[in-house]
mmCIF file of all heavy atoms in Angstrom:
data_model
loop_
_atom_site.group_PDB
_atom_site.id
_atom_site.type_symbol
_atom_site.label_atom_id
_atom_site.label_comp_id
_atom_site.label_asym_id
_atom_site.label_seq_id
_atom_site.Cartn_x
_atom_site.Cartn_y
_atom_site.Cartn_z
ATOM 1 N N ARG Q 1 0.830 -1.200 0.000
ATOM 2 C CA ARG Q 1 0.000 0.000 0.000
ATOM 3 C C ARG Q 1 0.871 1.260 0.000
ATOM 4 O O ARG Q 1 1.882 1.327 0.687
ATOM 5 C CB ARG Q 1 -0.892 -0.018 1.242
ATOM 6 C CG ARG Q 1 -1.832 1.160 1.372
ATOM 7 C CD ARG Q 1 -2.668 1.028 2.629
ATOM 8 N NE ARG Q 1 -3.551 -0.122 2.542
ATOM 9 C CZ ARG Q 1 -4.105 -0.715 3.609
ATOM 10 N NH1 ARG Q 1 -3.832 -0.277 4.834
ATOM 11 N NH2 ARG Q 1 -4.902 -1.752 3.447
ATOM 12 N N LEU Q 2 0.442 2.256 -0.791
ATOM 13 C CA LEU Q 2 1.165 3.526 -0.825
ATOM 14 C C LEU Q 2 0.764 4.442 0.321
ATOM 15 O O LEU Q 2 1.614 5.157 0.877
ATOM 16 C CB LEU Q 2 0.919 4.233 -2.158
ATOM 17 C CG LEU Q 2 1.532 3.574 -3.395
ATOM 18 C CD1 LEU Q 2 1.070 4.275 -4.658
ATOM 19 C CD2 LEU Q 2 3.055 3.576 -3.311
ATOM 20 N N ARG Q 3 -0.511 4.453 0.668
ATOM 21 C CA ARG Q 3 -0.987 5.360 1.709
ATOM 22 C C ARG Q 3 -0.229 5.116 3.011
ATOM 23 O O ARG Q 3 -0.028 3.980 3.430
ATOM 24 C CB ARG Q 3 -2.489 5.178 1.935
ATOM 25 C CG ARG Q 3 -3.072 6.128 3.000
ATOM 26 C CD ARG Q 3 -4.584 6.125 2.980
ATOM 27 N NE ARG Q 3 -5.088 6.679 1.725
ATOM 28 C CZ ARG Q 3 -5.196 7.973 1.435
ATOM 29 N NH1 ARG Q 3 -4.811 8.877 2.343
ATOM 30 N NH2 ARG Q 3 -5.681 8.374 0.288
ATOM 31 N N GLY Q 4 0.206 6.206 3.599
ATOM 32 C CA GLY Q 4 0.957 6.128 4.845
ATOM 33 C C GLY Q 4 2.459 6.042 4.646
ATOM 34 O O GLY Q 4 3.205 6.070 5.616
ATOM 35 N N GLY Q 5 2.890 5.965 3.398
ATOM 36 C CA GLY Q 5 4.313 5.847 3.111
ATOM 37 C C GLY Q 5 5.008 7.192 3.049
ATOM 38 O O GLY Q 5 4.394 8.264 3.141
ATOM 39 N N THR Q 6 6.316 7.128 2.851
ATOM 40 C CA THR Q 6 7.169 8.320 2.796
ATOM 41 C C THR Q 6 7.678 8.517 1.374
ATOM 42 O O THR Q 6 8.190 7.574 0.757
ATOM 43 C CB THR Q 6 8.354 8.182 3.754
ATOM 44 O OG1 THR Q 6 7.863 8.130 5.103
ATOM 45 C CG2 THR Q 6 9.323 9.353 3.620
ATOM 46 N N LEU Q 7 7.540 9.730 0.874
ATOM 47 C CA LEU Q 7 8.038 10.113 -0.442
ATOM 48 C C LEU Q 7 9.357 10.849 -0.284
ATOM 49 O O LEU Q 7 9.441 11.836 0.449
ATOM 50 C CB LEU Q 7 7.017 11.016 -1.147
ATOM 51 C CG LEU Q 7 7.457 11.679 -2.456
ATOM 52 C CD1 LEU Q 7 7.706 10.636 -3.540
ATOM 53 C CD2 LEU Q 7 6.407 12.698 -2.921
ATOM 54 N N GLY Q 8 10.390 10.373 -0.957
ATOM 55 C CA GLY Q 8 11.676 11.061 -0.972
ATOM 56 C C GLY Q 8 11.910 11.702 -2.326
ATOM 57 O O GLY Q 8 11.892 11.018 -3.347
ATOM 58 N N LEU Q 9 12.107 12.995 -2.347
ATOM 59 C CA LEU Q 9 12.322 13.742 -3.580
ATOM 60 C C LEU Q 9 13.759 14.238 -3.632
ATOM 61 O O LEU Q 9 14.207 14.951 -2.729
ATOM 62 C CB LEU Q 9 11.365 14.936 -3.667
ATOM 63 C CG LEU Q 9 9.874 14.590 -3.763
ATOM 64 C CD1 LEU Q 9 9.033 15.847 -3.575
ATOM 65 C CD2 LEU Q 9 9.552 13.934 -5.100
ATOM 66 N N ILE Q 10 14.470 13.860 -4.673
ATOM 67 C CA ILE Q 10 15.820 14.371 -4.894
ATOM 68 C C ILE Q 10 15.712 15.432 -5.987
ATOM 69 O O ILE Q 10 15.570 15.120 -7.166
ATOM 70 C CB ILE Q 10 16.784 13.240 -5.283
ATOM 71 C CG1 ILE Q 10 16.852 12.213 -4.152
ATOM 72 C CG2 ILE Q 10 18.171 13.810 -5.581
ATOM 73 C CD1 ILE Q 10 17.735 11.021 -4.455
ATOM 74 N N GLY Q 11 15.731 16.690 -5.568
ATOM 75 C CA GLY Q 11 15.417 17.820 -6.444
ATOM 76 C C GLY Q 11 14.001 18.290 -6.180
ATOM 77 O O GLY Q 11 13.067 17.480 -6.143
ATOM 78 N N TYR Q 12 13.857 19.608 -5.963
ATOM 79 C CA TYR Q 12 12.537 20.136 -5.587
ATOM 80 C C TYR Q 12 12.233 21.411 -6.362
ATOM 81 O O TYR Q 12 11.838 22.427 -5.806
ATOM 82 C CB TYR Q 12 12.475 20.391 -4.076
ATOM 83 C CG TYR Q 12 11.080 20.520 -3.520
ATOM 84 C CD1 TYR Q 12 10.202 19.447 -3.533
ATOM 85 C CD2 TYR Q 12 10.643 21.719 -2.966
ATOM 86 C CE1 TYR Q 12 8.923 19.562 -3.006
ATOM 87 C CE2 TYR Q 12 9.370 21.857 -2.431
ATOM 88 C CZ TYR Q 12 8.510 20.769 -2.465
ATOM 89 O OH TYR Q 12 7.233 20.883 -1.952
ATOM 90 N N GLY Q 13 12.437 21.332 -7.679
ATOM 91 C CA GLY Q 13 12.045 22.434 -8.549
ATOM 92 C C GLY Q 13 10.586 22.320 -8.935
ATOM 93 O O GLY Q 13 9.774 21.729 -8.215
ATOM 94 N N ARG Q 14 10.240 22.871 -10.094
ATOM 95 C CA ARG Q 14 8.840 22.877 -10.523
ATOM 96 C C ARG Q 14 8.244 21.477 -10.559
ATOM 97 O O ARG Q 14 7.136 21.233 -10.084
ATOM 98 C CB ARG Q 14 8.724 23.511 -11.912
ATOM 99 C CG ARG Q 14 9.014 24.995 -11.988
ATOM 100 C CD ARG Q 14 8.921 25.468 -13.438
ATOM 101 N NE ARG Q 14 9.135 26.895 -13.578
ATOM 102 C CZ ARG Q 14 10.343 27.449 -13.714
ATOM 103 N NH1 ARG Q 14 11.425 26.683 -13.721
ATOM 104 N NH2 ARG Q 14 10.467 28.760 -13.843
ATOM 105 N N ILE Q 15 8.983 20.534 -11.155
ATOM 106 C CA ILE Q 15 8.432 19.195 -11.329
ATOM 107 C C ILE Q 15 8.391 18.446 -10.004
ATOM 108 O O ILE Q 15 7.398 17.778 -9.681
ATOM 109 C CB ILE Q 15 9.231 18.425 -12.392
ATOM 110 C CG1 ILE Q 15 9.069 19.109 -13.753
ATOM 111 C CG2 ILE Q 15 8.754 16.979 -12.478
ATOM 112 C CD1 ILE Q 15 9.999 18.592 -14.825
ATOM 113 N N GLY Q 16 9.454 18.558 -9.218
ATOM 114 C CA GLY Q 16 9.449 17.916 -7.913
ATOM 115 C C GLY Q 16 8.303 18.405 -7.047
ATOM 116 O O GLY Q 16 7.637 17.614 -6.355
ATOM 117 N N GLN Q 17 8.033 19.701 -7.070
ATOM 118 C CA GLN Q 17 6.921 20.253 -6.295
ATOM 119 C C GLN Q 17 5.578 19.742 -6.814
ATOM 120 O O GLN Q 17 4.670 19.454 -6.028
ATOM 121 C CB GLN Q 17 6.973 21.772 -6.346
ATOM 122 C CG GLN Q 17 8.169 22.366 -5.613
ATOM 123 C CD GLN Q 17 8.345 23.843 -5.869
ATOM 124 O OE1 GLN Q 17 7.376 24.589 -5.973
ATOM 125 N NE2 GLN Q 17 9.596 24.285 -5.984
ATOM 126 N N ALA Q 18 5.452 19.618 -8.152
ATOM 127 C CA ALA Q 18 4.200 19.103 -8.724
ATOM 128 C C ALA Q 18 3.995 17.638 -8.343
ATOM 129 O O ALA Q 18 2.866 17.213 -8.045
ATOM 130 C CB ALA Q 18 4.213 19.269 -10.243
ATOM 131 N N VAL Q 19 5.073 16.848 -8.353
ATOM 132 C CA VAL Q 19 4.963 15.453 -7.916
ATOM 133 C C VAL Q 19 4.539 15.388 -6.453
ATOM 134 O O VAL Q 19 3.699 14.558 -6.074
ATOM 135 C CB VAL Q 19 6.292 14.710 -8.145
ATOM 136 C CG1 VAL Q 19 6.296 13.359 -7.444
ATOM 137 C CG2 VAL Q 19 6.536 14.522 -9.643
ATOM 138 N N HIS Q 20 5.088 16.255 -5.626
ATOM 139 C CA HIS Q 20 4.695 16.316 -4.217
ATOM 140 C C HIS Q 20 3.194 16.533 -4.090
ATOM 141 O O HIS Q 20 2.502 15.806 -3.366
ATOM 142 C CB HIS Q 20 5.476 17.444 -3.527
ATOM 143 C CG HIS Q 20 5.052 17.716 -2.123
ATOM 144 N ND1 HIS Q 20 5.449 18.849 -1.445
ATOM 145 C CD2 HIS Q 20 4.249 17.042 -1.253
ATOM 146 C CE1 HIS Q 20 4.922 18.844 -0.234
ATOM 147 N NE2 HIS Q 20 4.197 17.769 -0.099
ATOM 148 N N ARG Q 21 2.661 17.524 -4.808
ATOM 149 C CA ARG Q 21 1.227 17.815 -4.718
ATOM 150 C C ARG Q 21 0.386 16.618 -5.158
ATOM 151 O O ARG Q 21 -0.619 16.277 -4.526
ATOM 152 C CB ARG Q 21 0.884 19.034 -5.580
ATOM 153 C CG ARG Q 21 1.470 20.348 -5.080
ATOM 154 C CD ARG Q 21 0.863 21.530 -5.801
ATOM 155 N NE ARG Q 21 1.088 21.490 -7.240
ATOM 156 C CZ ARG Q 21 2.145 22.033 -7.836
ATOM 157 N NH1 ARG Q 21 3.095 22.624 -7.117
ATOM 158 N NH2 ARG Q 21 2.281 21.993 -9.148
ATOM 159 N N LYS Q 22 0.783 15.983 -6.246
ATOM 160 C CA LYS Q 22 -0.014 14.884 -6.788
ATOM 161 C C LYS Q 22 0.123 13.620 -5.943
ATOM 162 O O LYS Q 22 -0.834 12.848 -5.798
ATOM 163 C CB LYS Q 22 0.391 14.640 -8.239
ATOM 164 C CG LYS Q 22 0.026 15.822 -9.134
ATOM 165 C CD LYS Q 22 0.584 15.724 -10.542
ATOM 166 C CE LYS Q 22 0.239 16.989 -11.326
ATOM 167 N NZ LYS Q 22 0.746 16.966 -12.717
ATOM 168 N N ALA Q 23 1.297 13.408 -5.384
ATOM 169 C CA ALA Q 23 1.504 12.228 -4.545
ATOM 170 C C ALA Q 23 0.707 12.312 -3.245
ATOM 171 O O ALA Q 23 0.359 11.280 -2.662
ATOM 172 C CB ALA Q 23 2.988 12.059 -4.239
ATOM 173 N N ALA Q 24 0.417 13.528 -2.815
ATOM 174 C CA ALA Q 24 -0.368 13.688 -1.596
ATOM 175 C C ALA Q 24 -1.732 13.030 -1.739
ATOM 176 O O ALA Q 24 -2.287 12.495 -0.772
ATOM 177 C CB ALA Q 24 -0.526 15.170 -1.253
ATOM 178 N N ALA Q 25 -2.292 13.030 -2.948
ATOM 179 C CA ALA Q 25 -3.590 12.398 -3.183
ATOM 180 C C ALA Q 25 -3.532 10.884 -3.032
ATOM 181 O O ALA Q 25 -4.562 10.234 -2.826
ATOM 182 C CB ALA Q 25 -4.099 12.751 -4.575
ATOM 183 N N LEU Q 26 -2.315 10.318 -3.143
ATOM 184 C CA LEU Q 26 -2.141 8.879 -2.970
ATOM 185 C C LEU Q 26 -1.893 8.510 -1.512
ATOM 186 O O LEU Q 26 -1.760 7.329 -1.188
ATOM 187 C CB LEU Q 26 -0.965 8.386 -3.819
ATOM 188 C CG LEU Q 26 -1.052 8.667 -5.318
ATOM 189 C CD1 LEU Q 26 0.212 8.190 -6.015
ATOM 190 C CD2 LEU Q 26 -2.283 7.996 -5.921
ATOM 191 N N GLY Q 27 -1.812 9.498 -0.665
ATOM 192 C CA GLY Q 27 -1.598 9.234 0.747
ATOM 193 C C GLY Q 27 -0.146 9.241 1.175
ATOM 194 O O GLY Q 27 0.165 8.875 2.308
ATOM 195 N N LEU Q 28 0.752 9.653 0.286
ATOM 196 C CA LEU Q 28 2.168 9.779 0.660
ATOM 197 C C LEU Q 28 2.358 11.128 1.345
ATOM 198 O O LEU Q 28 2.858 12.085 0.779
ATOM 199 C CB LEU Q 28 3.053 9.655 -0.580
ATOM 200 C CG LEU Q 28 3.100 8.256 -1.192
ATOM 201 C CD1 LEU Q 28 3.612 8.302 -2.622
ATOM 202 C CD2 LEU Q 28 3.967 7.335 -0.347
ATOM 203 N N ALA Q 29 1.940 11.194 2.589
ATOM 204 C CA ALA Q 29 1.840 12.475 3.284
ATOM 205 C C ALA Q 29 3.166 12.952 3.853
ATOM 206 O O ALA Q 29 3.375 14.158 4.019
ATOM 207 C CB ALA Q 29 0.799 12.380 4.401
ATOM 208 N N ARG Q 30 4.065 12.032 4.162
ATOM 209 C CA ARG Q 30 5.372 12.428 4.700
ATOM 210 C C ARG Q 30 6.341 12.576 3.537
ATOM 211 O O ARG Q 30 6.524 11.662 2.736
ATOM 212 C CB ARG Q 30 5.887 11.382 5.681
ATOM 213 C CG ARG Q 30 7.237 11.725 6.306
ATOM 214 C CD ARG Q 30 7.566 10.731 7.418
ATOM 215 N NE ARG Q 30 8.855 11.025 8.020
ATOM 216 C CZ ARG Q 30 9.931 10.255 7.900
ATOM 217 N NH1 ARG Q 30 9.868 9.121 7.197
ATOM 218 N NH2 ARG Q 30 11.068 10.584 8.481
ATOM 219 N N VAL Q 31 6.983 13.753 3.458
ATOM 220 C CA VAL Q 31 7.832 14.061 2.305
ATOM 221 C C VAL Q 31 9.200 14.513 2.780
ATOM 222 O O VAL Q 31 9.333 15.454 3.565
ATOM 223 C CB VAL Q 31 7.196 15.152 1.418
ATOM 224 C CG1 VAL Q 31 8.090 15.443 0.212
ATOM 225 C CG2 VAL Q 31 5.814 14.722 0.956
ATOM 226 N N LEU Q 32 10.232 13.823 2.283
ATOM 227 C CA LEU Q 32 11.619 14.195 2.524
ATOM 228 C C LEU Q 32 12.179 14.792 1.239
ATOM 229 O O LEU Q 32 11.919 14.276 0.153
ATOM 230 C CB LEU Q 32 12.454 12.982 2.924
ATOM 231 C CG LEU Q 32 11.978 12.169 4.124
ATOM 232 C CD1 LEU Q 32 12.892 10.962 4.334
ATOM 233 C CD2 LEU Q 32 11.927 13.032 5.379
ATOM 234 N N VAL Q 33 12.952 15.848 1.350
ATOM 235 C CA VAL Q 33 13.501 16.522 0.172
ATOM 236 C C VAL Q 33 15.002 16.719 0.335
ATOM 237 O O VAL Q 33 15.471 17.196 1.382
ATOM 238 C CB VAL Q 33 12.820 17.890 -0.053
ATOM 239 C CG1 VAL Q 33 13.586 18.715 -1.083
ATOM 240 C CG2 VAL Q 33 11.378 17.697 -0.509
ATOM 241 N N HIS Q 34 15.731 16.359 -0.719
ATOM 242 C CA HIS Q 34 17.156 16.695 -0.790
ATOM 243 C C HIS Q 34 17.348 17.624 -1.976
ATOM 244 O O HIS Q 34 17.173 17.227 -3.129
ATOM 245 C CB HIS Q 34 18.014 15.447 -0.974
ATOM 246 C CG HIS Q 34 19.477 15.767 -1.086
ATOM 247 N ND1 HIS Q 34 20.263 16.048 0.015
ATOM 248 C CD2 HIS Q 34 20.290 15.899 -2.174
ATOM 249 C CE1 HIS Q 34 21.492 16.307 -0.389
ATOM 250 N NE2 HIS Q 34 21.546 16.246 -1.705
ATOM 251 N N ASP Q 35 17.675 18.875 -1.699
ATOM 252 C CA ASP Q 35 17.941 19.860 -2.744
ATOM 253 C C ASP Q 35 18.841 20.938 -2.152
ATOM 254 O O ASP Q 35 18.367 21.870 -1.507
ATOM 255 C CB ASP Q 35 16.646 20.472 -3.280
ATOM 256 C CG ASP Q 35 16.869 21.269 -4.561
ATOM 257 O OD1 ASP Q 35 17.959 21.864 -4.706
ATOM 258 O OD2 ASP Q 35 15.972 21.297 -5.417
ATOM 259 N N PRO Q 36 20.156 20.813 -2.370
ATOM 260 C CA PRO Q 36 21.092 21.759 -1.738
ATOM 261 C C PRO Q 36 20.994 23.178 -2.268
ATOM 262 O O PRO Q 36 21.573 24.096 -1.673
ATOM 263 C CB PRO Q 36 22.467 21.152 -2.059
ATOM 264 C CG PRO Q 36 22.252 20.292 -3.257
ATOM 265 C CD PRO Q 36 20.854 19.772 -3.137
ATOM 266 N N PHE Q 37 20.254 23.394 -3.362
ATOM 267 C CA PHE Q 37 20.154 24.733 -3.939
ATOM 268 C C PHE Q 37 19.008 25.544 -3.352
ATOM 269 O O PHE Q 37 18.911 26.734 -3.601
ATOM 270 C CB PHE Q 37 20.016 24.643 -5.457
ATOM 271 C CG PHE Q 37 21.213 24.020 -6.121
ATOM 272 C CD1 PHE Q 37 21.169 22.704 -6.532
ATOM 273 C CD2 PHE Q 37 22.387 24.734 -6.287
ATOM 274 C CE1 PHE Q 37 22.279 22.114 -7.134
ATOM 275 C CE2 PHE Q 37 23.496 24.158 -6.880
ATOM 276 C CZ PHE Q 37 23.443 22.843 -7.297
ATOM 277 N N LEU Q 38 18.129 24.905 -2.604
ATOM 278 C CA LEU Q 38 17.004 25.626 -2.018
ATOM 279 C C LEU Q 38 17.367 26.180 -0.647
ATOM 280 O O LEU Q 38 17.938 25.479 0.193
ATOM 281 C CB LEU Q 38 15.793 24.694 -1.892
ATOM 282 C CG LEU Q 38 15.088 24.308 -3.199
ATOM 283 C CD1 LEU Q 38 13.870 23.455 -2.891
ATOM 284 C CD2 LEU Q 38 14.673 25.537 -3.983
ATOM 285 N N LYS Q 39 17.013 27.447 -0.431
ATOM 286 C CA LYS Q 39 17.295 28.086 0.851
ATOM 287 C C LYS Q 39 16.191 27.837 1.865
ATOM 288 O O LYS Q 39 16.399 27.945 3.075
ATOM 289 C CB LYS Q 39 17.504 29.589 0.646
ATOM 290 C CG LYS Q 39 18.724 29.916 -0.203
ATOM 291 C CD LYS Q 39 18.886 31.409 -0.392
ATOM 292 C CE LYS Q 39 20.120 31.719 -1.250
ATOM 293 N NZ LYS Q 39 20.277 33.179 -1.481
ATOM 294 N N SER Q 40 14.987 27.536 1.382
ATOM 295 C CA SER Q 40 13.873 27.263 2.290
ATOM 296 C C SER Q 40 12.948 26.250 1.644
ATOM 297 O O SER Q 40 12.921 26.100 0.421
ATOM 298 C CB SER Q 40 13.110 28.553 2.620
ATOM 299 O OG SER Q 40 12.533 29.102 1.444
ATOM 300 N N LEU Q 41 12.179 25.564 2.483
ATOM 301 C CA LEU Q 41 11.231 24.558 2.022
ATOM 302 C C LEU Q 41 9.881 24.805 2.690
ATOM 303 O O LEU Q 41 9.811 25.404 3.761
ATOM 304 C CB LEU Q 41 11.724 23.154 2.386
ATOM 305 C CG LEU Q 41 12.946 22.623 1.625
ATOM 306 C CD1 LEU Q 41 13.474 21.369 2.301
ATOM 307 C CD2 LEU Q 41 12.586 22.348 0.176
ATOM 308 N N PRO Q 42 8.813 24.339 2.070
ATOM 309 C CA PRO Q 42 7.500 24.472 2.726
ATOM 310 C C PRO Q 42 7.478 23.732 4.062
ATOM 311 O O PRO Q 42 8.282 22.822 4.304
ATOM 312 C CB PRO Q 42 6.544 23.811 1.713
ATOM 313 C CG PRO Q 42 7.263 23.820 0.421
ATOM 314 C CD PRO Q 42 8.723 23.713 0.745
ATOM 315 N N GLU Q 43 6.537 24.110 4.900
ATOM 316 C CA GLU Q 43 6.463 23.520 6.233
ATOM 317 C C GLU Q 43 6.126 22.038 6.201
ATOM 318 O O GLU Q 43 6.459 21.304 7.143
ATOM 319 C CB GLU Q 43 5.417 24.269 7.080
ATOM 320 C CG GLU Q 43 5.824 25.702 7.426
ATOM 321 C CD GLU Q 43 4.804 26.385 8.301
ATOM 322 O OE1 GLU Q 43 3.768 25.746 8.603
ATOM 323 O OE2 GLU Q 43 5.043 27.553 8.684
ATOM 324 N N ASP Q 44 5.468 21.575 5.124
ATOM 325 C CA ASP Q 44 5.031 20.183 5.091
ATOM 326 C C ASP Q 44 6.054 19.237 4.481
ATOM 327 O O ASP Q 44 5.729 18.090 4.188
ATOM 328 C CB ASP Q 44 3.702 20.051 4.347
ATOM 329 C CG ASP Q 44 3.754 20.584 2.924
ATOM 330 O OD1 ASP Q 44 4.705 21.328 2.602
ATOM 331 O OD2 ASP Q 44 2.840 20.257 2.137
ATOM 332 N N VAL Q 45 7.294 19.704 4.289
ATOM 333 C CA VAL Q 45 8.359 18.807 3.844
ATOM 334 C C VAL Q 45 9.546 18.925 4.785
ATOM 335 O O VAL Q 45 9.723 19.942 5.462
ATOM 336 C CB VAL Q 45 8.802 19.108 2.390
ATOM 337 C CG1 VAL Q 45 7.632 19.081 1.433
ATOM 338 C CG2 VAL Q 45 9.530 20.439 2.299
ATOM 339 N N GLU Q 46 10.342 17.852 4.828
ATOM 340 C CA GLU Q 46 11.510 17.831 5.696
ATOM 341 C C GLU Q 46 12.780 17.799 4.847
ATOM 342 O O GLU Q 46 12.891 16.961 3.949
ATOM 343 C CB GLU Q 46 11.487 16.584 6.581
ATOM 344 C CG GLU Q 46 10.274 16.449 7.465
ATOM 345 C CD GLU Q 46 10.288 15.127 8.219
ATOM 346 O OE1 GLU Q 46 11.382 14.752 8.731
ATOM 347 O OE2 GLU Q 46 9.241 14.472 8.278
#
């Protein structure tokens, strides 16, 4: 099952952010992001 799982995103530009939004509908509510170029991230990602 996908619901309740963790999504790891390597890169969080336009497409990574869009995948985050769409994956939320599948229940992948916990999101980890690795992107050394971003100075800040939304509150709902780690």
Side-chain angles (χ1 to χ4, degrees):
R1 181 180 295 160
L2 291 173
R3 181 168 294 280
T6 295
L7 171 65
L9 295 169
I10 299 178
Y12 198 65
R14 292 177 178 87
I15 295 170
Q17 292 170 37
V19 168
H20 173 193
R21 292 192 300 270
K22 294 171 184 180
L26 303 177
L28 290 162
R30 181 172 179 249
V31 181
L32 305 177
V33 168
H34 178 79
D35 192 327
F37 297 102
L38 288 183
K39 296 179 180 178
S40 63
L41 290 168
E43 292 182 358
D44 57 344
V45 305
E46 301 175 43

